[in-house]
């Protein structure tokens, strides 16, 4: 087949999307008292931290148009065997703003020409809080152990000592140790929700040079203060005993037909 015929065949090929049927399958369920390993909620809490930051713009800013914020949590660590929770992250801010543009048109007493730009910054935050109430107690870590042991040795003494005496001690040419390591389950977090209350203020605002409408100005530095509320779940994988009494094929969907 020539290359031209192959290209023509490829161009004429089409795929028809069609629906396919599916049927539920009843799962095999173990009966009795079963021990399983699942994430267990240790605590659910809301914490509040304060953030103060200074943002510098790469160009003059006429006004802020919009600010979109997202919380990025990079660390949430329960420091066992204490109840201190260390939280660290960033607030991603995308700031859309208007910047005066002389290239578009010169300012007059009634108009200011500007174009739209955006600046994305990560504002860091961190705090340490105490979990005062556990829904489920965490499984505390088992400590590693190392124990040294020696063997008794008895040797004859060199000349200069009585013949009946012996050198008795441990063997310094050998080292014996028993060590135990425990691989504990590390608690982890899930971010449920976040709430940010912020206050932004330009700290170096100046009037526009030359001719400009009344009250118009520009700035390059923005001071912001934020109160951040985070809702978190602290979890840990634990072994839990559950009870399974039946493997009845009557599902919730067909309760009406299984009476």
């Amino acid at each position: 087949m020539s290359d031209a015929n192959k290209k023509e065949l490829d161009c004429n090929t089409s795929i028809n999307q069609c629906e396919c049927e599916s049927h539920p399958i009843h799962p095999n369920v173990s009966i009795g008292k079963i021990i399983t390993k699942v994430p267990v909620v240790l605590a659910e809490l809301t914490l509040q931290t304060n953030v103060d930051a200074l943002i510098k713009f790469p160009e003059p800013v006429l006004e802020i148009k919009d600010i979109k914020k997202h919380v990025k949590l990079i660390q949430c660590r329960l420091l066992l065997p204490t109840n201190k929770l260390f939280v660290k992250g960033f607030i991603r801010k995308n700031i859309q703003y208007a910047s005066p543009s002389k290239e578009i048109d010169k300012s007059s007493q009634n108009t200011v020409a500007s174009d739209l730009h955006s600046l994305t910054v990560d504002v860091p935050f961190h705090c340490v809080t105490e979990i005062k109430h556990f829904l489920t107690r965490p499984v505390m870590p088992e400590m590693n152990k190392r124990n040294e042991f020696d063997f008794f040795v008895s040797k004859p003494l060199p000349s200069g000592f009585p013949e009946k005496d012996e050198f008795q001690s441990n063997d310094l040419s050998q080292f014996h140790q028993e060590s135990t390591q425990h691989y504990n389950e590390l608690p982890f977090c899930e971010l449920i929700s976040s709430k940010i209350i912020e206050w932004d203020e330009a700290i170096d605002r100046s009037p526009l040079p030359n001719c400009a409408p009344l009250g118009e100005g520009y700035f390059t530095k923005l001071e912001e203060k934020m109160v951040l509320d985070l809702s978190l779940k602290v979890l840990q994988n634990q072994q839990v005993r559950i009870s399974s009494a039946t493997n009845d094929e009557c599902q919730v969907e067909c309760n009406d037909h299984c009476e």
Side-chain angles (χ1 to χ4, degrees):
M1 184 180 294
S2 64
D3 293 340
N5 291 334
K6 288 182 178 180
K7 291 182 179 179
E8 183 178 357
L9 181 61
D10 292 340
C11 294
N12 293 331
T13 301
S14 62
I15 300 176
N16 294 324
Q17 300 292 339
C18 59
E19 293 187 2
C20 55
E21 294 185 0
S22 63
H23 303 280
I25 298 177
H26 182 68
N28 294 323
V29 179
S30 300
I31 305 300
K33 294 181 179 179
I34 305 168
I35 296 177
T36 183
K37 185 178 180 180
V38 295
V40 175
V41 179
L42 304 181
E44 189 167 338
L45 67 157
T46 299
L47 60 90
Q48 186 177 95
T49 182
N50 304 319
V51 182
D52 192 350
L54 178 64
I55 297 177
K56 297 181 181 180
F57 291 87
E59 56 194 348
V61 177
L62 184 67
E63 64 176 347
I64 302 295
K65 291 295 186 180
D66 191 16
I67 300 178
K68 294 182 179 180
K69 299 171 290 295
H70 299 279
V71 174
K72 299 190 292 186
L73 198 64
I74 62 173
Q75 184 184 86
C76 184
R77 184 71 66 231
L78 177 60
L79 188 61
L80 294 178
T82 72
N83 57 350
K84 298 292 186 178
L85 184 68
F86 290 75
V87 179
K88 183 186 297 185
F90 296 91
I91 301 175
R92 180 188 184 273
K93 304 191 69 173
N94 179 261
I95 306 173
Q96 299 178 8
Y97 61 93
S99 179
S101 177
K102 296 180 181 179
E103 290 76 10
I104 298 177
D105 194 7
K106 293 183 179 181
S107 300
S108 66
Q109 293 183 350
N110 299 319
T111 60
V112 178
S114 63
D115 49 6
L116 293 178
H117 298 269
S118 69
L119 176 68
T120 301
V121 295
D122 279 344
V123 180
F125 68 88
H126 67 276
C127 68
V128 181
T129 188
E130 180 180 2
I131 300 180
K132 299 180 180 179
H133 174 68
F134 283 100
L135 301 176
T136 305
R137 296 297 304 180
V139 176
M140 294 299 175
E142 295 285 344
M143 301 299 177
N144 295 336
K145 298 178 181 179
R146 289 190 300 172
N147 297 313
E148 297 180 13
F149 59 93
D150 293 307
F151 291 102
F152 169 77
V153 293
S154 177
K155 296 180 180 180
L157 292 169
S159 59
F161 292 90
E163 293 182 358
K164 296 182 179 180
D165 292 344
E166 291 182 339
F167 173 80
Q168 298 181 6
S169 181
N170 61 318
D171 193 348
L172 297 178
S173 66
Q174 298 180 0
F175 179 80
H176 310 280
Q177 185 184 75
E178 179 188 37
S179 60
T180 304
Q181 290 81 35
H182 294 276
Y183 305 97
N184 302 285
E185 289 289 346
L186 187 67
F188 58 96
C189 295
E190 288 184 357
L191 184 60
I192 302 174
S193 64
S194 62
K195 177 183 177 182
I196 301 174
I197 301 175
E198 68 174 297
W199 178 68
D200 300 331
E201 182 181 21
I203 60 175
D204 63 342
R205 193 169 188 270
S206 302
L208 287 173
N210 303 325
C211 184
L214 181 64
E216 296 294 338
Y218 70 95
F219 61 91
T220 59
K221 296 180 181 179
L222 189 70
E223 183 180 20
E224 61 176 15
K225 293 176 173 59
M226 291 183 288
V227 177
L228 172 63
D229 292 326
L230 293 177
S231 294
L232 301 168
K233 281 185 181 180
V234 184
L235 305 101
Q236 184 187 39
N237 288 326
Q238 295 183 6
Q239 292 188 143
V240 178
R241 184 186 295 275
I242 60 175
S243 178
S244 177
T246 180
N247 191 18
D248 193 353
E249 295 186 0
C250 178
Q251 302 296 312
V252 176
E253 299 89 341
C254 59
N255 280 341
D256 297 337
H257 307 285
C258 300
E259 296 180 354

